[in-house]
Amino acid sequence: MLFKKYDVIVVGAGHAGSEAAAAAANMGSKVLLVTMNLQTIAQMSCNPAMGGIAKGQIVREIDALGGYSGLVTDRTMIQFRMLNKSKGPAMWSPRAQSDRMLFSMEWRRMLEQTPNLDFWQDMVVGLIVKDNHIQGVKTSMGQVIEGQNVILTNGTFLNGKIHIGEKSFGGGRMGDRSSEGLTEQLIKLGFRADRMKTGTPVRVDGRTIDFSRLTEQKGDEVVTGFSYLEKVNLPKQRSCYIAYTSPRVHDMLKTGFQFSPMFNGRIEGVGPRYCPSIEDKVVRFSDKDSHQLFVEPEGWNTIEYYINGFSSSLPEDVQFKALREIEGFENAKIFRPGYAIEYDFFPPDQLQHSLETKLVKGLFFAGQINGTTGYEEAAGQGIIAGINAHSKTVGKEPLILKRSEAYIGVLIDDLITKGVDEPYRMFTSRAEYRILLRQDNADARLTERSFKIGLAKAERFNRFKQKQESISALIDFMDKTSVTPDQINGFLEKSGTSLLTQKIKLSSVLLRPQVELQQLIKSNRSLFDDVINKFNLKHDEIEAAEVLVKYKGYIDKEKELADKLMRLEHVKLKSDFDYHQLKSLSYEAREKLNLIKPETLGQASRISGVSPSDISVLAIYLGR
Amino acid sequence: MKYPDISREDTICALATPPGTGAIAVIRLSGIDSHAIINRLFKPMKAKDLNEVGSHRAVYGQILDKEQLIDDVLLTIFRAPHSYTGEDAIEIGCHGSIFIQQKIIELLLNAGARLAEPGEFTMRAFANKRFDLAQAEAVADLIASRSEAAHHLAINQMRGGFSKRIMELRQQLIDFTALIELELDFSEEDVEFADRNRFLQLLNDLKVEISQLIESFKTGNAIKTGIPVAIIGKPNVGKSTLLNAILNEEKAIVSEIPGTTRDTIEDTIILEGYSFRFIDTAGLRKSEDLVENLGIERAYEKIKQAAVILYVCDLASCTLESAEEMLEEFRNFLKDKDKRFILIGNKADLLAETPAHFKEMVELETIFISAKRKENINLITQSLIKVAQELQQDQDTIVSNARHYQALQKAFEALVSVEKGFEADLPTDLAAIDLRSAIHHLGSITGQISNEEVLGSIFSKFCIGK
């Protein structure tokens, strides 16, 4: 036989599939990664960037759990920025431009070095299901591969259909075939499927762009990166550029509207409101004369540029002519036009929090198949699906992250509880406990848990423990050490805050909004020398200590609130309960509860249409 | 299946008897701090340490607002687990006036309790295994029907523009939140962010809106439970006689001895559809009689609560000097714009000559009456009806529900924190924490605002998406 029996078969090697395969294999499962094209592992199909607001936090969480996305990004980035640095620490969000080709290569290298992981290039065309249990997969080459668990991460490939102007053709991504057969089988098994749409912009030959007419956007001087394991080595960075559309560009775009699959109804799928095509922006915000575009380099050694914000499914000649109306792009040549893609997804209320489907045991979904968008969102689901497929193999409890614990927890709970109306992207405003879910403390939130379930390795755990010790030592030092007016007033004056009249604790000085710890240390270096040298304090440790001291009041407030609301999360609900029995519930609540089958009372309380009095009634009935 | 420990978190209170006036009312308090909370407002008649009172014992004493006596009450003490809820609990048996009920609940809230959700006592009872399932199921049906009735009640309570104002408030809150979140989640987008002045302006609009609703609680309550009218004046000017004349029945004790009315007496009448709650008060004078002094003190307290004040003077015994003093006092009262003052010249029938300062009294729209002979009483009732009509016109939006009132107050406090945050130039994500708390509290009135709505507002107004 060509194949042994696998513990976990991962279908698809995008960001979700790759993380899933890595996690399950690192935990000890025998894993097979099946992909239609081994040359495009963890391909960045859209813009060549990782992170950003809320998304950067997810990448940090994946890293804290022992995933690869952070490491791969750190090793392949060509530019780094910490976004929102002028805001509070909950908003600081790392973002990197990556070298698109290196990114994919580094992923493949890392996966190849992962034990227990096999590869197979083929298309999965069917699932083997017996008595609602998954048994394995069938491929287009006629292979039957047995597996105890299967994770589907098909991205935009399921019945993928590409639109450019009046042309449309099957495909999972420009240049790749779509995947057929799976949706139909899943519907037969009882799953609900629907269509979504997303798009991507034109790619331009950098030699034909007049960069002198664009605004340059450089990377940060301090590059902190994504991984808690390694330091980023980035002596040189590449810049992005900002360009603007004009009424002339808009007029040119309008000449193609009659051919637009968006406007003539040929696209049925729902697109994301926060990532509209340029034609959509021109129509919906017709009072705006100009829209901002980000011109992003695709790598160190390529002249290809990605025109972020110019996503379009207009005919390629219209895209081209409109592009040339943009200042700086008068002579531009294009490599490939933008296009829209429609694909099947499965409304994610059909999943449990472990990402296992409710209908078929051992079958997991992760990534765009669940109606999400974004590499980070996909990878975050992937690692959880990988962990939980392994847990299932060895008969352990699934890992379910709470909303107060991780953006990944918010993401999965939202998907399962609320379903999706449009491609789901993470925003910090989706998290109730934003100040707890910071990019600086993802390790404190997740690494120990991951170590205990066997994913995070000892090296990561020890590094984490040592970091926590350093942070506590510094906080302890600042709580115990006082400064006199003489020692500090010079610094306070420079910082623009009021002077001291008597001595106070260092931690109290730090509470002032104008005082930054790094600056404070610089101003009184000898005072801090002992603790810095003894614990060999690093940049990220000092920053973490500063956040914990400065924002303690807010952090404690949210923690308290989270603990309070947590109580409802501990009340488990039965998955086979028929809520129509409870006549005291409102009709809408009964319908919704029967559809979603929430796992806990807390989850039930977040379902729209379930009122607080419904929750009271439910609580009363819970005794059985 | 183990039930969570939700019951231990805080202490709840609510009226246990049906709302409205009765002979007595029972207010229930349950939770870990029940005894600590009651100790803050209860004084036992016989100096007894409440902590030493056993379960299922009654204790007689007074509910005090600071030093002010609110009511004589009978407490029934229950100790966990031997109570309806299974927690430490107290039942307060008080007199059945709506004012007393609300005042005691208000004092309990101030002392650290919170209003119970519908069915929460029962939920706790179930949580603490005071019920078996069959009983719980019966109660659950009851709760459902009750909350439905409560829902109808709430809708019926919404008078005039209440519903509209609440919708506007909700929209304002979504817009404000959207502007804040826009700056946080979409700082990289090419959109124009609101400046600090815009934020402060919006915040101020919200605060004004909410504080108006909070203020309207007083009127809302007044219209629901009767517009409080206080009759004040020097001893023996005929306040009680006047009250009797208005009420047309002998409720107040009327006598010739100054200081007979030692307590405030309340009665309610309905005039042309408006309900008035009359508060007769002890005469305003200094006295050696301690009990009477207590009554006088309480009279001043009543003036504070009243919306309309009938200031009665005795025309017959009015000297030039006392009239001067009296008018001076009355003019001082008029400075209080929140209340309506009506000057009443009583005993006009005993008048032999033009009273002192007659001209000035006419200018102050004094109503000349004889309470004893029931002359010109209709002029007073006409004035009262006019006041009621004006009150209702002023407030087309009325909060009359204590839970709404509490939620609005908490939301207001949270918005003050947001404002302080802005003034201190705190990062907006920190101000957003307080904003979320305001949304949470308002959510119980306006309906929860979901982050989908906030995002929806952002996407509809700003061009997001690079």
Side-chain angles (χ1 to χ4, degrees), chain A residues 454-473:
Chain A
L455 177 55
K457 300 282 173 269
E459 181 199 358
R460 179 181 290 277
F461 183 61
N462 293 335
R463 166 79 190 93
F464 155 73
K465 275 209 311 203
Q466 183 212 323
K467 179 180 160 190
Q468 298 307 309
E469 274 166 29
S470 302
I471 295 170
S472 320

Side-chain angles (χ1 to χ4, degrees), chain B residues 185-285:
Chain B
D185 263 332
F186 304 97
S187 60
E188 292 290 297
E189 299 281 345
D190 177 33
V191 290
E192 211 176 301
F193 299 109
D195 62 21
R196 287 291 168 274
N197 291 334
R198 175 94 196 280
F199 278 143
L200 287 171
Q201 183 58 46
L202 275 172
L203 198 52
N204 201 47
D205 293 350
L206 272 169
K207 274 175 55 195
V208 167
E209 185 76 14
I210 292 174
S211 63
Q212 280 174 357
L213 288 170
I214 290 174
E215 277 305 306
S216 80
F217 181 65
K218 287 178 194 150
T219 317
N221 224 22
I223 289 180
K224 207 164 97 182
T225 61
I227 296 165
V229 182
I231 304 177
I232 65 167
K234 298 260 175 326
N236 213 20
V237 294
K239 298 185 294 296
S240 301
T241 318
L242 172 61
L243 176 64
N244 286 340
I246 297 175
L247 297 177
N248 229 353
E249 60 179 79
E250 298 279 317
K251 259 280 163 71
I253 314 156
V254 189
S255 82
E256 297 294 318
I257 313 153
T260 313
T261 310
R262 295 189 170 181
D263 208 337
T264 54
I265 297 175
E266 290 191 13
D267 215 322
T268 305
I269 56 167
I270 294 174
L271 299 169
E272 293 194 5
Y274 295 103
S275 158
F276 296 88
R277 195 153 45 86
F278 278 88
I279 310 160
D280 182 20
T281 60
L284 301 175
R285 61 157 198 176

Side-chain angles (χ1 to χ4, degrees), chain A residues 81 84 88 274 276 281 284 288 292 308-309 427-432 434 554 557 564 571 584 619-620, chain B residues 3-4 9 126 137 141 181 184-188 190 426-427 429 434 436 452 459 462-466:
Chain A
R81 288 199 303 141
N84 270 342
Y274 44 82
K281 285 192 260 191
R284 281 181 48 218
K288 257 191 115 179
Q292 198 178 40
N308 197 346
F427 298 105
T428 66
S429 58
R430 296 196 194 269
E432 293 85 347
R434 189 154 49 191
Y554 288 94
K557 212 194 247 180
K564 218 169 171 180
V571 194
S584 311
I620 296 221
Chain B
Y3 198 85
E9 70 185 80
F126 180 72
E137 276 174 343
D141 283 327
E181 295 296 338
L184 299 173
D185 263 332
F186 304 97
S187 60
E188 292 290 297
D190 177 33
L426 276 185
D429 49 320
D434 290 316
R436 284 170 175 208
E452 291 300 327
F459 298 144
F462 300 96
C463 184
I464 299 299
K466 316 189 268 198

Side-chain angles (χ1 to χ4, degrees), chain B residues 88-107:
Chain B
D88 279 348
I90 287 166
E91 289 181 2
I92 306 166
C94 62
H95 290 103
S97 111
I98 292 173
F99 166 74
I100 289 174
Q101 296 165 16
Q102 292 199 335
K103 186 71 192 175
I104 293 176
I105 288 177
E106 186 188 317
L107 290 173

Side-chain angles (χ1 to χ4, degrees), chain A residues 372-443:
Chain A
T372 62
T373 134
Y375 313 142
E376 304 81 357
E377 287 85 347
Q381 293 168 66
I383 192 167
I384 296 296
I387 289 170
N388 289 334
H390 170 79
S391 301
K392 185 120 187 156
T393 308
V394 295
K396 285 205 179 132
E397 283 288 298
L399 176 74
I400 292 162
L401 300 177
K402 301 187 205 84
R403 297 182 73 91
S404 56
E405 214 168 25
Y407 274 100
I408 298 174
V410 174
L411 166 72
I412 293 174
D413 186 63
D414 273 352
L415 291 178
I416 283 150
T417 308
K418 299 178 181 160
V420 291
D421 298 326
E422 67 182 322
Y424 181 102
R425 173 180 145 185
M426 185 51 73
F427 298 105
T428 66
S429 58
R430 296 196 194 269
E432 293 85 347
Y433 316 109
R434 189 154 49 191
I435 191 103
L436 303 182
L437 308 183
R438 304 184 310 273
Q439 63 88 26
D440 68 87
N441 74 344
D443 54 347

Side-chain angles (χ1 to χ4, degrees), chain A residues 195-218:
Chain A
R195 291 290 265 178
M196 271 188 182
K197 174 237 133 181
T198 187
T200 184
V202 58
R203 317 291 165 90
V204 177
D205 182 336
R207 295 170 301 184
T208 63
I209 302 172
D210 181 355
F211 289 103
S212 69
R213 315 264 298 274
L214 310 183
T215 313
E216 185 176 5
Q217 190 177 45
K218 291 189 167 167

